Amino acid sequence: MGKHSRPGPPNQPSRAVPRADTGDLLAAYNKRRRPPLDIHRRHRPLHGGGGHLRPDEPRALEEWNGFSYEPAGTAANLADAVRWVNEQMSGEEPTA
C-alpha cells in the first residue's frame, strides 16, 4: 500500500473533509451537523435484515434533519426506495 492510499472499499465516498474555516465562527458546529458519510437520505428494510435481501419487501425511508435520521415514509419495494434516495441527489443541482 502506498503512502497516500486510503483504507476501505473503493465504492465508499471519501471521509476526508475540508479543514474548518478559521474565519467562520460556526464552522465546527456545521461540521458536526453533516450526516455520516454525507448520506442525507437512506432506506432500510421494515423488518430488519440486509438491505439487498428480499427486494420486494417494504422499506422505511429516513432523512437527515441536521441532528439524526428521522422517518420520512415508506416505500413498497427496494426499487422505489432507491428511486426516492436518488431523487434528492438529482435535485441538488441548481437550474439556470
Side-chain angles (χ1 to χ4, degrees):
M1 293 184 70
K3 180 179 174 184
H4 298 286
S5 64
R6 75 174 177 88
N11 63 346
Q12 289 184 352
S14 174
R15 294 182 184 172
V17 295
R19 293 189 183 273
D21 182 16
T22 56
D24 185 10
L25 298 175
L26 297 175
Y29 173 76
N30 290 333
K31 183 178 175 183
R32 286 193 310 266
R33 290 196 55 167
R34 288 182 38 221
L37 296 175
D38 286 333
I39 299 172
H40 292 273
R41 286 182 168 184
R42 69 180 184 185
H43 60 86
R44 295 178 170 212
L46 278 180
H47 304 293
H52 62 289
L53 300 174
R54 299 182 304 271
D56 295 331
E57 289 189 1
R59 308 284 165 165
L61 305 175
E62 299 175 332
E63 195 163 20
W64 183 256
N65 67 2
F67 297 101
S68 64
Y69 286 102
E70 63 182 12
T74 58
N77 54 33
L78 178 61
D80 291 342
V82 170
R83 194 174 307 115
W84 178 80
V85 169
N86 293 334
E87 189 177 276
Q88 189 257 350
M89 291 167 134
S90 64
E92 284 181 348
E93 298 175 10
T95 56

